[in-house]
Amino acid sequence: MIYKYYGPPGTGKTHKLINRAKAYVRIGTPLHKIGYFAFTKKAAGEAKKRMPAEDKKLIYFQTLHSFAFNLLRLREENVMQPYHYENFGKKLNVKVKYYDRYNKEESHFLTCDNPYFQLIHKSINRCVNIRKEFDRGEHNNKEVEWSMLKHIYENYLEYKKKKKLIDFNDMIEMLLNEDDKIPEFDVVFIDEAQDLSPLQWKLYDKLKEKSKDMYLAGDDDQAIFAWAGADVDRFINEPAKEKILQHSKRISKAVQEQSQICIENILGNRKIKKYFPRDYEGVCEEISNLDQIDLTKSKWLILTRTVSKLLKIEEILKKKNLYFESNRGKSVKTRLYKSIKKYQLLQQNVELEEKDIKDVQEYTGDKKFDLKKDWYEAFQNVEQEDKDYLLNLMEAGENLDEPARIWTSTIHAIKGGEQDNVIICLDLGDKIIKAIGKSQDKADEEHRVWYVGTTRAKNNLYKLKSKIERKGYRL
């Protein structure tokens, strides 16, 4: 039997899956007969924590890629690493920086900053040949030309063959070709199923053949990985006994009302669903700049659509002497801050280890310290801007050892996150505006992105207007 849970923001679809998994355990289902596949390693780890069993016994609580990796008995040295991509790029005189674009949790979709590789991986995820993917015309014509794409693709295949390496997508394909290695399950759970690509849906079909029961959970309105090949239509159309989770424990009435504007604009395939917000009114306001908000109190999440806008926001926060964090870490240079604290310990006649003293010397530039000087005067090998920012934060009483009250992120990177107060920057960016104009599918995907962004707010949502109105998303 196949069951499908539609879980709008904060309605607890993961909680529902875990409860069903616990129910199977209670009726005697062996743990090794339960498969639980999450979107990220972190999510899989969280699922394990909620189960009444030891981690080592929950052998199939993992991502689909980890599932394939382990069944195929692969080792890390078998898999393409970031330096392989960068070295390959150098051989072809193509700049390639390979990294996990939106988070550090090993999601299904790892990519790089090179548009050619983005297209190559997208074609594999969609199970179409590279020419067909190119002909879809979803890329920037100024960034990608066919002859170069073909050249990189053919050499990439040859490089992997010579080095005897595989990439993430190869793992799934290899397992599909050796499907006798896929175990039989009593029940399989797949969370965030709206983000599965056609390649991963093929693995789902194999799991379906070998399982008694299947549970899918997701929300088509939160399907924001179409850029990497995710197939939300397959999730919507998959025949199953359906249930919509209707009560959100996250969002306020004001936030829900605002978020509906986004999804009501979706013209393509969509599951119509009704759910109810918390019994809390909340606030939704439009602002022209960050000066209209008191960021010195409460917890905040500031979201942007593009990385370039995110960097501009972070510059503003620094000028305001506000302490914040992002996926890249704290806004202060932690090594510098730690060295300042070590210097202050020396001023208190505390003995430090040699390595700690060397850390301080790196910033003072002297082997001998004049401990009568305060750190600001003593630390000469530091950019003035960094010193001033750090001094202002310390004088304001910020505890830089603690997590910051303010978190900054792109919308894609924060998927799954939430905060009491959210500021969402409505700037789209020229590339996104062009992409939206290419197809209705692209426009629908964009509405989903903004839906995800707005529903990160638990209580209050503040919409930061774009300076150029026509370049902003309309909420």
Side-chain angles (χ1 to χ4, degrees):
M1 187 69 184
I2 303 173
Y3 303 88
K4 191 194 304 182
Y5 295 126
Y6 282 96
T11 54
K13 61 182 182 297
T14 301
H15 178 73
K16 185 73 174 178
L17 289 189
I18 294 296
N19 280 347
R20 292 305 305 143
K22 288 178 179 178
Y24 275 86
V25 173
R26 285 196 297 271
I27 62 172
T29 306
L31 294 174
H32 70 277
K33 289 288 187 178
I34 300 174
Y36 188 104
F37 302 107
F39 187 65
T40 65
K41 277 187 173 181
K42 181 180 178 182
E46 287 297 321
K48 280 185 176 182
K49 287 179 185 177
R50 299 193 205 178
M51 289 295 292
E54 298 175 31
D55 275 13
K56 63 182 180 181
K57 293 182 179 179
L58 299 167
I59 56 176
Y60 296 119
F61 277 59
Q62 53 195 170
T63 66
L64 287 172
H65 287 99
S66 295
F67 178 64
F69 181 90
N70 293 328
L71 289 181
L72 294 168
R73 298 186 180 277
L74 297 172
R75 295 180 295 180
E76 290 294 332
E77 54 263 38
N78 302 135
V79 183
M80 288 279 287
Q81 302 296 329
Y83 68 86
H84 286 122
Y85 287 92
E86 289 165 17
N87 290 342
F88 171 73
K90 287 176 184 176
K91 289 178 183 292
L92 294 187
N93 199 26
V94 176
K95 187 178 179 182
V96 179
K97 185 179 179 184
Y98 196 90
Y99 63 113
D100 185 343
R101 184 177 182 184
Y102 290 124
N103 57 64
K104 296 178 180 179
E105 300 173 354
E106 192 195 289
S107 72
H108 292 160
F109 303 119
L110 299 177
T111 187
C112 68
D113 63 354
N114 183 285
Y116 287 98
F117 269 95
Q118 290 173 9
L119 214 56
I120 289 168
H121 286 304
K122 195 173 184 179
S123 74
I124 297 168
N125 270 316
R126 281 180 166 166
C127 301
V128 298
N129 66 52
I130 192 66
R131 180 72 214 200
K132 187 172 181 179
E133 185 58 47
F134 177 82
D135 289 343
R136 288 172 70 100
E138 293 182 353
H139 55 277
N140 187 331
N141 291 327
K142 293 180 180 178
E143 293 180 339
V144 179
E145 63 148 6
W146 167 245
S147 59
M148 187 63 174
L149 176 62
K150 185 171 181 286
H151 176 66
I152 292 174
Y153 178 68
E154 290 173 349
N155 278 274
Y156 175 58
L157 296 180
E158 187 63 26
Y159 178 87
K160 288 194 297 180
K161 186 177 179 181
K162 281 186 177 179
K163 298 281 186 181
K164 296 182 179 177
L165 293 167
I166 62 170
D167 61 29
F168 261 49
N169 294 314
D170 293 329
M171 293 181 199
I172 304 293
E173 289 188 323
M174 287 170 65
L175 185 58
L176 290 170
N177 291 329
E178 299 182 50
D179 62 347
D180 57 309
K181 293 183 177 179
I182 299 174
E184 293 185 354
F185 290 103
D186 283 354
V187 60
V188 167
F189 300 90
I190 298 183
D191 203 357
E192 303 290 2
Q194 79 278 351
D195 291 324
L196 295 182
S197 70
L199 179 61
Q200 290 149 1
W201 279 111
K202 282 188 175 183
L203 181 52
Y204 161 84
D205 287 334
K206 290 291 183 184
L207 289 166
K208 185 166 63 173
E209 289 174 11
K210 299 191 173 198
S211 304
K212 295 177 182 176
D213 292 328
M214 298 286 292
Y215 288 81
L216 295 171
D219 181 10
D220 55 302
D221 292 332
Q222 297 183 70
I224 62 173
F225 286 96
W227 59 267
D231 184 3
V232 64
D233 288 341
R234 173 66 194 270
F235 172 65
I236 296 171
N237 297 333
E238 179 68 9
K241 185 177 180 181
E242 297 181 351
K243 182 175 182 178
I244 296 170
L245 307 180
Q246 292 190 313
H247 298 279
S248 177
K249 294 181 180 180
R250 177 193 299 164
I251 63 177
S252 64
K253 294 176 182 178
V255 171
Q256 190 203 33
E257 184 178 340
Q258 188 66 189
S259 71
Q260 295 303 301
I261 295 171
C262 307
I263 53 173
E264 284 170 3
N265 285 326
I266 296 173
L267 299 180
N269 196 8
R270 178 178 175 259
K271 175 71 175 181
I272 303 298
K273 59 189 87 68
K274 184 175 182 179
Y275 73 104
F276 303 94
R278 288 161 45 220
D279 187 19
Y280 181 85
E281 196 60 42
V283 169
C284 182
E285 293 180 2
E286 193 169 73
I287 58 174
S288 300
N289 56 68
L290 294 182
D291 291 332
Q292 294 175 249
I293 300 290
D294 183 3
L295 292 170
T296 62
K297 300 172 185 175
S298 304
K299 291 185 177 181
W300 295 88
L301 173 60
I302 304 178
L303 296 175
T304 67
R305 180 63 179 86
T306 63
V307 173
S308 58
K309 183 62 179 180
L310 183 67
L311 296 175
K312 289 177 183 176
I313 289 291
E314 290 176 350
E315 284 178 17
I316 294 171
L317 295 176
K318 280 198 169 185
K319 285 178 182 176
K320 288 178 171 292
N321 293 312
L322 291 165
Y323 170 45
F324 61 92
E325 285 187 68
S326 71
N327 283 341
R328 299 185 304 281
K330 295 182 177 182
S331 59
V332 296
K333 295 188 175 178
T334 52
R335 192 176 178 194
L336 169 60
Y337 174 62
K338 287 178 180 178
S339 295
I340 291 170
K341 293 183 73 175
K342 291 171 186 175
Y343 181 80
Q344 291 172 333
L345 288 173
L346 288 172
Q347 289 179 308
Q348 298 167 26
N349 296 317
V350 176
E351 289 190 17
L352 299 182
E353 293 182 12
E354 186 65 30
K355 63 181 179 62
D356 293 325
I357 293 172
K358 284 183 178 179
D359 287 342
V360 176
Q361 288 171 342
E362 182 181 334
Y363 292 106
T364 62
D366 297 320
K367 289 195 173 181
K368 292 185 178 180
F369 308 128
D370 181 357
L371 294 174
K372 293 178 182 177
K373 296 180 180 179
D374 63 24
W375 73 266
Y376 187 86
E377 186 182 357
F379 279 44
Q380 295 298 309
N381 293 343
V382 183
E383 292 288 336
Q384 190 65 40
E385 186 180 340
D386 293 331
K387 281 170 64 171
D388 290 343
Y389 177 59
L390 199 46
L391 177 66
N392 289 330
L393 291 180
M394 293 170 76
E395 288 183 343
E398 288 280 8
N399 187 345
L400 304 180
D401 293 315
E402 293 292 320
R405 291 179 302 98
I406 303 171
W407 187 276
T408 65
S409 176
T410 60
I411 297 172
H412 280 90
I414 207 65
K415 189 173 183 289
E418 59 183 42
Q419 192 48 273
D420 293 342
N421 307 291
V422 169
I423 298 172
I424 190 164
C425 307
L426 300 181
D427 298 70
L428 282 166
D430 292 334
K431 285 186 180 180
I432 295 168
I433 291 171
K434 287 180 182 177
I436 293 171
K438 287 187 175 182
S439 70
Q440 186 58 50
D441 285 347
K442 278 290 181 185
D444 287 348
E445 182 188 355
E446 195 60 28
H447 295 312
R448 288 180 170 117
V449 170
W450 291 94
Y451 178 73
V452 167
T454 57
T455 55
R456 298 313 93 194
K458 294 164 68 176
N459 298 333
N460 308 312
L461 177 69
Y462 299 88
K463 303 171 289 181
L464 180 57
K465 292 192 294 185
S466 173
K467 288 184 179 179
I468 303 174
E469 188 176 352
R470 64 182 175 82
K471 292 189 175 183
Y473 185 76
R474 294 183 181 179
L475 271 175

